[in-house]
C-alpha cells in the first residue's frame, strides 16, 4: 500500500498524517492515518472527511490494520449508507431560491419564493411558500425561512414534550427546561441533574412519530442515565415500534 505523509503543527506538537488504503471484505477503501499522542487506536467516520484513524506514534501498522479488519463490516455498512445519502437531494435550503428541496416532517417539499405584503412562510401540500417583501435579498429570504423553521420546530417539540410528560410525572420528574440549538451528531440530549432537555433544530425534518421518539428517548434519560436494557424496556412500553423509528431517523441527515 502507498501513502502520502504530511506534518501538522499545533501548539508545538507534531501530528503525522498519512493517506493509506486497505482492502476490507473485498472492497478497497482509503483512509487517513494520523499518529499523535493518544493511547489507543481510534476510528472516526464522517461523510465530509471519510475514515480517519488516530493511533499512537509507536503503534505498528499491522496493529492498525488488524483493528480496521475487525471493524471492517461496520465500516463498509456506514460507507454504503453515506453513499446512499449522498444521492438524495439536499434537505435544507442552500441559497433559499425557488425550486430548492426541503425535507419537512419526513417528506420532500419544493421551495417557492414570492413577493408578499409581509415576510412569512406557508406550507401548502408539498410546496413551502417563502413570501418576502424583497425577494431579491438573499439575507432576507434566509432570515425569514430560518426564523419560521426554528419557531415551527420549537412549537412541535414543546407540544410533544407536554404530551409525553404525563408518563414521567408519576415518577417524580419535574417538567424540564426545554432548549434548542443546531447540532451536528445528536437529535437531542438530556442533563438530568440540571433538569434540561436540548433538541436539535433540524428535528423538523423528521416525521412526527420520529420526533415523538426523540422526545420520549430524552425524557427517559431522567430515569436511566445510560442506554441499558431497562432504558429501552421503558421506551418500548410507550413506543413498541421504537426500533423502526430509530431506523427512520438514521435516514434523516442533519446536513445544512
Amino acid at each position: 500500500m502507498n501513502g502520502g505523509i504530511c506534518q501538522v503543527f499545533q501548539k508545538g506538537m507534531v501530528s503525522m498524517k498519512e493517506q493509506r488504503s486497505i482492502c476490507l471484505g473485498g472492497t478497497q477503501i482509503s483512509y487517513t492515518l494520523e499518529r499523535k499522542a493518544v493511547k489507543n487506536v481510534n476510528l472516526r467516520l464522517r461523510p465530509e472527511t471519510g475514515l480517519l484513524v488516530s493511533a499512537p506514534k509507536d503503534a505498528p501498522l499491522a496493529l492498525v490494520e488488524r483493528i480496521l479488519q475487525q471493524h471492517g463490516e461496520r465500516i463498509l455498512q456506514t460507507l454504503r449508507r453515506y453513499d446512499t445519502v449522498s444521492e438524495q437531494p439536499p434537505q435544507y435550503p442552500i441559497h433559499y431560491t425557488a425550486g430548492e428541496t426541503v425535507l419537512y416532517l419526513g417528506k420532500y417539499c419544493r421551495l417557492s419564493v414570492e413577493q408578499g405584503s409581509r415576510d412569512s412562510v406557508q406550507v401548502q401540500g408539498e410546496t413551502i411558500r417563502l413570501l418576502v417583501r424583497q425577494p431579491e435579498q438573499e439575507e432576507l429570504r434566509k432570515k425569514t425561512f430560518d426564523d419560521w423553521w426554528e419557531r415551527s420546530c420549537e412549537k412541535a417539540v414543546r407540544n410533544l414534550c407536554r404530551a409525553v410528560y404525563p408518563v414521567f410525572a408519576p415518577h417524580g420528574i419535574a417538567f424540564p427546561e426545554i432548549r434548542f440549538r443546531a447540532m451536528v451528531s445528536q437529535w437531542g440530549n438530556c442533563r438530568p441533574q440540571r433538569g434540561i432537555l436540548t433538541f436539535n433544530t433540524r428535528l423538523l425534518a423528521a416525521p412526527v412519530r420520529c420526533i415523538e421518539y426523540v422526545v420520549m428517548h430524552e425524557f427517559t434519560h431522567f430515569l436511566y442515565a445510560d442506554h441499558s436494557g431497562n432504558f429501552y424496556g421503558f421506551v418500548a412500553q410507550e413506543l413498541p415500534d421504537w426500533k423502526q423509528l430509530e431506523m427512520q431517523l438514521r435516514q434523516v441527515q442533519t446536513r445544512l
Side-chain angles (χ1 to χ4, degrees):
M1 295 186 298
N2 297 321
I5 301 177
C6 68
Q7 291 183 336
V8 178
F9 295 87
Q10 185 177 18
K11 295 181 180 180
M13 302 283 293
V14 179
S15 174
M16 303 292 295
K17 286 189 176 182
E18 180 181 5
Q19 292 299 129
R20 303 197 64 86
S21 65
I22 188 172
C23 185
L24 300 176
T27 301
Q28 195 78 13
I29 69 165
S30 61
Y31 67 96
T32 301
L33 175 60
E34 182 178 14
R35 295 190 177 276
K36 56 184 183 179
V38 294
K39 294 182 179 180
N40 303 305
V41 176
N42 303 301
L43 312 181
R44 284 183 293 166
L45 190 54
R46 297 285 184 271
E48 63 275 11
T49 60
L51 178 59
L52 175 63
V53 181
S54 58
K57 294 179 181 180
D58 58 352
L61 180 60
L63 171 63
V64 174
E65 293 187 346
R66 185 164 66 248
I67 292 174
L68 287 171
Q69 293 291 351
Q70 290 171 353
H71 296 275
E73 184 56 33
R74 180 168 60 88
I75 292 171
L76 292 174
Q77 288 178 354
T78 304
L79 287 173
R80 284 193 288 266
R81 188 168 73 248
Y82 288 161
D83 287 342
T84 301
V85 168
S86 66
E87 298 171 359
Q88 295 178 351
Q91 299 179 359
Y92 198 80
I94 299 173
H95 300 293
Y96 303 83
T97 55
E100 289 190 86
T101 56
V102 181
L103 186 60
Y104 171 73
L105 295 179
K107 67 178 181 180
Y108 277 101
C109 299
R110 287 286 177 184
L111 185 67
S112 74
V113 179
E114 308 168 34
Q115 187 165 23
S117 58
R118 63 186 182 89
D119 303 330
S120 61
V121 177
Q122 300 175 2
V123 180
Q124 295 182 345
E126 295 184 358
T127 299
I128 297 180
R129 300 176 63 202
L130 176 55
L131 304 168
V132 286
R133 287 167 290 182
Q134 297 173 303
E136 70 280 1
Q137 293 189 7
E138 181 173 342
E139 282 302 313
L140 178 60
R141 299 196 306 268
K142 172 178 168 56
K143 182 179 187 308
T144 302
F145 187 93
D146 289 351
D147 287 350
W148 166 79
W149 181 277
E150 292 182 12
R151 288 195 309 270
S152 300
C153 182
E154 290 189 17
K155 181 179 179 180
V157 171
R158 289 185 188 279
N159 285 342
L160 286 168
C161 286
R162 287 191 287 269
V164 307
Y165 177 65
V167 174
F168 298 89
H171 297 272
I173 305 299
F175 193 84
E177 178 184 348
I178 308 298
R179 297 180 180 178
F180 297 87
R181 66 181 176 87
M183 301 183 189
V184 176
S185 59
Q186 290 182 303
W187 290 115
N189 62 53
C190 175
R191 303 174 72 178
Q193 294 182 347
R194 299 187 61 182
I196 298 173
L197 294 181
T198 304
F199 294 95
N200 193 334
T201 53
R202 288 292 178 263
L203 258 179
L204 199 64
V208 173
R209 287 275 293 145
C210 291
I211 302 175
E212 181 185 5
Y213 165 65
V214 172
V215 170
M216 182 67 68
H217 183 112
E218 298 307 331
F219 260 95
T220 304
H221 277 307
F222 285 120
L223 301 175
Y224 304 99
D226 56 6
H227 293 106
S228 62
N230 289 334
F231 174 93
Y232 284 110
F234 187 92
V235 171
Q237 290 177 13
E238 303 300 325
L239 297 175
D241 59 341
W242 70 268
K243 289 185 179 180
Q244 290 85 347
L245 297 174
E246 195 170 72
M247 288 178 63
Q248 284 183 266
L249 277 168
R250 292 193 186 118
Q251 297 171 1
V252 178
Q253 298 299 303
T254 56
R255 294 176 299 172
L256 302 184

